[in-house]
Amino acid sequence: MTIVETRAKRGDAADGALGGRLSRIDGPAKITGLADYALEHHPQGMVHAVLVESAIASGRVVSIDANAAERAPGVLLVMTPDNALPIKSATDWLNTPPSDAPYEPLARSITFAGQHIAAVIAETFEQATAAAALVKVYYEEAPAIAGLDDPKAGDGMPLDRMTIEWGDAHGALANAPIRIKHEYRTPREYNVPIEPHGLIAEWKGDRLTVWEPSQWIDGMARTYAEWFDIPFENVELRSPYIGGGFGSKALALEHGAIAINAARMLGRPVKLAVTRAQTFTAYGGRPATRQTIELGATRDGKLVSIVQTGANETSMKAVQVEPLGSVTSIMYATPNFSSRQNVVPVNTVKPGALRAPGENPSAFGIECAIDELAYEVGIDPVQIRLLNYAEEDPHARKPWSTRRLREAYAAGAEAFGWSARQPKPRSMREGNQLIGYGVAAGTYPVRRTPGEALVRILGDGSVEVASSGIDMGQGTYTILAQTAAEAIGVPVEKVRVKLGDSSLPRAPVAGGSQFANLITGAVHKAALAARDELIGLAINDPNSPFRDLQANTLIVENGVISSPRDTGAGVGIAEIMQRTGRERIEALRDTLPENLRNEKDHFRNFTTITTMLSPTDGDYSLHSWCVHFVEVRVDADFGTVRVARMVSALDSGRLYNPKLAESQWKGGIIMGIGQALLEEGIVDARNGRVMNNNLGDYLVPTNADIPDLKVISVGIPDTHASVLGGKAVGELGIVGVAPAIANAVYHATGVRVRDLPITMDKLT
Ligand code: MCN
Ligand code: MOS
């Protein structure tokens, strides 16, 4: 087995300490084509699977005529529910025990257009594609519910567990001198990572190897083990490089089961890559949402009540919640609060997580609503936010661990030049361009799940870090090299990082913007243990030069061990290893609480999210915070909106690598600009099909859409939040961007757009 090793170049040393601006150490491999992405493998004898998908959105498959396809050149198997080998059901990520019924990734009953109903496996991809077109499917069609706006959809089902209430929200609202009430909506949105989903599956006896991009190696490997009834250790899932996931690559999906099953049935490695169009139906993105927000306030703008009712769409078969109260319930101080949420089943693939699920649409509602209140009472939008500043978590009633939001408003407003804003809408203009300034805040919780990590000091003085965690572009390779280099005391280019293989030490999901904090904590612990052992060797070994010094402690710096009492040059790590005859020092450490460090269930602790602590477990409420300032320019005739410039100030605590954290924030902000102005999954109301299932019609921002983005870090180390003082980074930037833009568009034009995206037709 070869595991990809990634390490920094020589000369990076100055930036290599924790907190340094080291460039991505996986960058050169990614841009020169050396990085081996999962789908680029070619095991001997590999064949190709192509999916046949439902053309109807609701009903059932009456029969499948595979005769012509089976006779087509190169075809090895047409897999249907009738001939597929049975698969077992698996535990879900919440650790719900599996049902006894088999798991059927190929459906007979149809609940959305694009559902997988058969797969054709052939010697070549072209043969499989051609034969898939010959598969004839006979359906019995039933009426479909196309989306939230379909009159048949109704109000959906209440989700009592999402209810958040305190005080007397309705009573206080009724008595409030100022009341506003509006509905805010976000459309269906998709993750669209550039690398599409897919996998290569190979069986050797009852051992399974899967090459597949994954945000959660351990979670997906556990599902595969359970589906195919083999021990966890028999699955090797490999994912050294990933071309983006944004929440969509964390869980095992139907097409994975189909490919692995085909490989088992044929005794050949099978490759299945979903097409770009299928990335809109093989898994779901962010569900469409709607929410009504009522604010009650005093005449001078102080909130007395917030009442929110919301709903998101889900699939017919499963409940996916997009928690709309998540930001509403913590952003502002209010004595009375009520948030309730429904889910509305429609004929869609099950929606999933898309960067900041919950926080993102939640912020769109409350951050537009507070802006509307600011105009209503004639207070500056920054001022009204400070006036209603929450000094503690108003929901959990706990102090914030750190909340540098005031500092963020101050730093952002200053750098943006907010004071130049003229209060009246449509009052700033340059030629034919209406100019608008808008502001909105955002937040993302600090989640905590245990992990483990292995650190080795090798005979040549180099260091190895190993984890089954992953890097999909966010910077894991780089920050782990920095963490180990700093903790042990070696130059960063001496550290090799191995990630993305299920045979490596267990790691939790790289999702929920938790992974950097967790895995740096585990690596730090392991690295310190390895360094302590190294120092012990240097002190105690009879051959060690430090014996005579009677030193009881030593320091390791830049790969050299020395005594603080000795002015001599010290001894290199490799030399100590040699003198003491050691090939390696190895430390495996985990951050599991004592009660979970149980051998039998050891792997399970990393394959469900049941060990995750909520942001309010403990004495403090832990969150990252941000504020975005936006200038838009709107063409007075056409209504085209351009974001002209943006300044964001963010509090993610201590940054392990500011260059990468800034890049993460900007990536989120760019997605937020796309959400505000471009992105909208459009469903054909007649047949429930996604109409814009490609990157030509589902628009994401390009360079031309993005102005200069300035990001300012206002965080300070927060050791309540994590071992090394960092808070969440990856999803923070996208929260609050769309409302900041909507607020700026209102300021520019006097037109309030409450349903995303803000397109020209809504402005003219
Ligand atoms: N970081 C830092 N200091 C901190 C915390 C983080 O410097 N205190 C930097 C590090 O470079 C770290 C990165 O920020 O690698 C992200 O850290 P974190 O916030 O812990 O997020 P995760 O590692 O858990 O990554 C997942 C997160 C999520 S949930 C989505 S969605 C998302 C995101 O990261 N998808 C991404 N960023 C992405 N970036 C890329 N390129 N591709 C995706 O698919
Ligand atoms: Mo991110 S949506 O939590 O993977």
Side-chain angles (χ1 to χ4, degrees), residues 107-139:
R108 300 169 203 263
S109 91
I110 302 298
T111 56
F112 63 94
Q115 197 167 352
H116 312 319
I117 48 184
V120 178
I121 300 95
E123 294 287 348
T124 70
F125 172 68
E126 291 73 15
Q127 288 170 333
T129 305
L134 301 175
V135 176
K136 283 202 200 75
V137 183
Y138 299 92
Y139 303 98

Side-chain angles (χ1 to χ4, degrees), residues 330 332-333 389-400 403 621:
I330 61 168
Y332 299 108
Y389 198 83
E391 300 293 346
E392 62 162 17
D393 181 332
H395 176 207
R397 303 275 158 103
K398 289 184 182 180
W400 309 113
R403 193 196 207 217
S621 180

Side-chain angles (χ1 to χ4, degrees), residues 575-645:
E575 198 182 325
I576 289 287
M577 298 290 282
Q578 230 165 42
R579 286 194 196 196
T580 55
R582 288 287 292 257
E583 268 168 27
R584 62 175 57 176
I585 292 171
E586 194 168 281
L588 178 68
R589 289 292 182 278
D590 64 52
T591 54
L592 279 167
E594 216 40 65
N595 62 332
L596 291 177
R597 204 173 284 136
N598 163 336
E599 265 314 302
K600 185 166 72 61
D601 279 342
H602 193 65
F603 91 83
R604 209 165 249 282
N605 289 326
F606 303 97
T607 60
T608 65
I609 59 157
T610 46
T611 55
M612 184 188 279
L613 295 178
S614 98
T616 53
D617 282 333
D619 296 336
Y620 297 93
S621 180
L622 317 172
H623 304 264
S624 289
W625 303 95
C626 66
V627 54
H628 306 284
F629 291 87
V630 179
E631 176 185 321
V632 296
R633 292 185 171 232
V634 184
D635 186 287
D637 297 320
F638 295 119
T640 42
V641 180
R642 307 287 300 171
V643 175
R645 62 194 181 92

Side-chain angles (χ1 to χ4, degrees), residues 24 30 193 215 242-248 353-357 444 470-479 509-518 652-662 664 671 722 725-732:
R24 291 251 302 273
K30 276 195 154 181
Q215 289 179 236
I242 299 146
F246 308 110
S248 66
L354 200 175
R355 216 167 189 170
Y444 196 84
I470 60 93
D471 191 333
M472 59 182 155
Q474 77 274 42
T476 317
Y477 279 115
T478 313
I479 58 170
V509 59
S513 301
Q514 60 167 359
F515 194 58
N517 293 321
L518 313 174
S652 290
R654 176 191 186 191
L655 303 182
Y656 307 132
N657 182 324
K659 183 181 206 166
L660 304 190
E662 287 165 14
Q664 281 292 299
M671 284 175 81
S722 65
K727 299 195 285 184
V729 164
E731 293 163 283
L732 180 63

